[in-house]
Amino acid sequence: MVGATLVAGSLALTQTAGAAPAPAPASAAPAVSAAAGLDDPAKKEIAMKLVSSAENSSLDWKSQYSYIEDIDDGRGYTAGIIGFCSGTGDMLDLVELYTQRKPGNVLAKYLPALREVDGSDSHAGLDPNFTKDWKKAAQDSAFQKAQNDERDRVYFNPAVKQGKADGIGTLGQFAYYDAIVMHGDGGDSTSFSNIRKRALTKAKPPAQGGNEVTYLHAFLDARVWAMKQEEAHEDTSRVDTAQRVFLNKKNLNLNPPLDWKVYGESFHIGS
């Protein structure tokens, strides 16, 4: 899930060329740069690893381009770096994009079947070779880029945009991203937008004058409720022993080192 070296961002003070700046008063507060958002490359890499730890029990998210299986959650095949599903339309969109960019690819022949099974858990027209061909396509850099681009278009960019509009920092933006990855943003009660609406009945985000920590606890509470509505998602450790851990430590910028657990397995990202 594109490797960026995790580095601590150094603060650089810049000044306009020209006359020498006047000395700051002794009582002046030190200059502090705005915290990086989740779209900062180093923070985005952390986000990819966090999601991969929950989705694939691994921090090596880039090895997940080839992942594909039916996890019996009613969504058909789940595959790739973000869990594109044959039953929810996002896998269809991905293969359409890949085929637009590279006609005649090994997955193009499955487009009619993907259109037919959309909205169901059916494998009709996909078996027996779809999983084998998916793994073959995953070796193609064009398919890897298509996965990255669809992840960003459908999940990552909307989550970061809404997070910034709500005035929440990197951790909050990640909480939004992880929620939209799992729940999508449809019209049902457990969709990302409705999880957010549920949280808004309990607390206001900073953009509305609320306290960030209080609001994020309300959002995570709403997320846990949504997860418990579906048997396939009833294990809420990706919230309880990961996101909530960072929040309780007031690590709103999602700064490493980070230690968390998912499904009882421990993970670590160093500084």
Side-chain angles (χ1 to χ4, degrees), residues 227-256:
M227 292 174 71
K228 289 183 175 179
Q229 304 311 300
E230 187 174 357
E231 185 177 353
H233 295 152
E234 63 183 359
D235 185 316
T236 59
S237 61
R238 66 197 290 161
V239 173
D240 302 333
T241 54
Q243 296 171 47
R244 191 87 71 175
V245 171
F246 307 145
L247 181 57
N248 285 336
K249 291 182 177 179
K250 305 295 194 295
N251 189 356
L252 300 178
N253 292 332
L254 207 55
N255 292 328

Side-chain angles (χ1 to χ4, degrees), residues 182-206:
M182 174 176 281
H183 303 280
D185 201 18
D188 56 285
S189 63
T190 59
S191 69
F192 164 70
S193 289
N194 283 315
I195 292 172
R196 178 176 170 272
K197 287 178 182 178
R198 191 179 184 90
L200 289 171
T201 66
K202 303 295 183 181
K204 293 181 178 180

Side-chain angles (χ1 to χ4, degrees), residues 31-164:
V32 179
S33 71
L38 197 66
D39 49 356
D40 172 84
K43 300 298 186 182
K44 186 174 184 178
E45 171 70 5
I46 290 175
M48 299 304 107
K49 290 183 175 182
L50 288 170
V51 169
S52 185
S53 74
E55 296 284 330
N56 303 101
S57 299
S58 170
L59 298 185
D60 184 9
W61 67 268
K62 287 188 287 186
S63 70
Q64 308 310 324
Y65 290 113
S66 61
Y67 163 75
I68 182 167
E69 68 175 321
D70 189 327
I71 60 175
D72 296 321
D73 64 351
R75 294 174 172 85
Y77 280 119
T78 296
I81 59 172
I82 209 65
F84 300 99
C85 295
S86 59
T88 61
D90 57 353
M91 181 182 285
L92 171 60
D93 290 345
L94 168 62
V95 177
E96 285 181 335
L97 175 65
Y98 180 37
T99 302
Q100 175 187 333
R101 294 177 176 178
K102 192 169 183 176
N105 69 74
V106 70
L107 296 180
K109 61 181 175 286
Y110 295 103
L111 281 171
L114 286 170
R115 294 185 182 108
E116 285 297 319
V117 302
D118 187 16
S120 77
D121 62 357
S122 174
H123 294 182
L126 299 176
D127 290 341
N129 294 320
F130 182 64
T131 56
K132 180 185 70 175
D133 287 337
W134 180 281
K135 293 176 186 296
K136 183 177 180 181
Q139 305 307 309
D140 182 2
S141 60
F143 187 49
Q144 294 176 11
K145 186 176 189 305
Q147 288 197 37
N148 293 344
D149 291 346
E150 281 298 278
R151 171 202 63 201
D152 290 352
R153 181 184 71 86
V154 180
Y155 302 106
F156 188 82
N157 294 343
V160 171
K161 181 179 180 180
Q162 184 63 65
K164 289 184 175 182

